[in-house]
Amino acid sequence: MKIEKAHILNLDAIFSITKSCAKHLIEKGIFQWNQYYPSKEVLKKDIELNQLWKLVENNLIIGIIVLTKIEDVEYKSVKWLTENGNNLYIHRLAVHPNYQGKGNAQLLMHFAENYAEEHNFYSIRLDTFSKNLHNQQFYEKRNYIKLASIYFPKQSEHPFYCYEKLLNV
């Protein structure tokens, strides 16, 4: 098992993972991802910006995570625990449904947290869907603090909760 930067040649495989995850979530009544998000264009941009990492097992991509310094416009109103400027943002954490429940999401988060500490970020920030209780528990067990609600109207009428984990402060 290894985690490495995604390449543009991986785009179709990565898009397939996010589509499988969206379908899996919808089947569980969680309307977090849909036909609009995450789009192939969003994933392509992540790869072009060198911020998309892939989890590979036996030459097969089974998961992804985006690590970026770019703050989304939707986050501007959030009262974060740390000053803006040296924060790592996590987006689009996904593990193919066939590989869920085996610690792969934990592995990706452990990688992200180590990356953040090695690069001296003040904190890690992310959001998760208010109707996805499993994800909320997942982040809270990793000591992420729930702060505020934001909205992504193209994804859902329900809010997304912003979380932050303090590092190096």
Side-chain angles (χ1 to χ4, degrees):
M1 197 105 53
K2 60 186 173 182
I3 298 173
E4 57 193 20
K5 287 260 176 93
H7 187 275
I8 197 66
L9 296 174
N10 306 136
L11 182 59
D12 287 339
I14 289 167
F15 186 59
S16 176
I17 288 171
T18 62
K19 286 289 138 203
S20 295
C21 288
K23 183 177 183 279
H24 184 68
L25 286 167
I26 290 166
E27 287 169 357
K28 292 166 58 175
I30 301 170
F31 300 93
Q32 179 173 343
W33 286 359
N34 56 33
Q35 69 270 30
Y36 306 110
Y37 184 86
S39 68
K40 197 175 234 184
E41 293 74 29
V42 164
L43 297 167
K44 182 176 184 268
K45 186 175 180 187
D46 286 336
I47 293 170
E48 289 169 349
L49 291 172
N50 255 342
Q51 61 189 24
L52 197 152
W53 297 80
K54 61 185 178 178
L55 175 61
V56 180
E57 182 180 75
N58 299 324
N59 294 317
L60 183 68
I61 300 171
I62 63 169
I64 62 163
I65 191 168
V66 171
L67 306 179
T68 182
K69 294 186 233 179
I70 301 167
E71 182 183 39
D72 287 351
V73 66
E74 291 85 358
Y75 287 171
K76 297 292 183 195
S77 65
V78 176
K79 176 93 173 90
W80 297 103
L81 300 172
T82 58
E83 287 186 35
N84 288 344
N86 193 27
N87 314 94
L88 185 68
Y89 298 88
I90 293 179
H91 298 296
R92 294 175 278 290
L93 171 63
V95 173
H96 190 282
N98 294 347
Y99 295 89
Q100 291 178 6
K102 300 175 180 172
N104 291 313
Q106 296 281 5
L107 196 64
L108 284 163
M109 286 302 295
H110 185 70
F111 171 81
E113 290 166 2
N114 282 345
Y115 178 92
E117 287 182 3
E118 287 170 13
H119 292 84
N120 298 311
F121 287 99
Y122 296 144
S123 71
I124 301 174
R125 297 173 176 178
L126 55 85
D127 67 76
T128 194
F129 190 45
S130 61
K131 300 296 180 185
N132 191 334
L133 300 179
H134 180 267
N135 276 11
Q136 292 171 52
Q137 292 169 352
F138 174 78
Y139 293 122
E140 288 167 10
K141 282 181 184 171
R142 296 188 72 89
N143 299 315
Y144 285 79
I145 300 164
K146 183 168 37 170
L147 298 173
S149 297
I150 58 172
Y151 290 84
F152 296 99
K154 285 186 179 176
Q155 285 175 254
S156 176
E157 64 188 31
H158 300 290
F160 285 70
Y161 297 145
C162 292
Y163 284 83
E164 187 169 20
K165 181 174 184 172
L166 301 177
L167 311 165
N168 304 312
V169 281

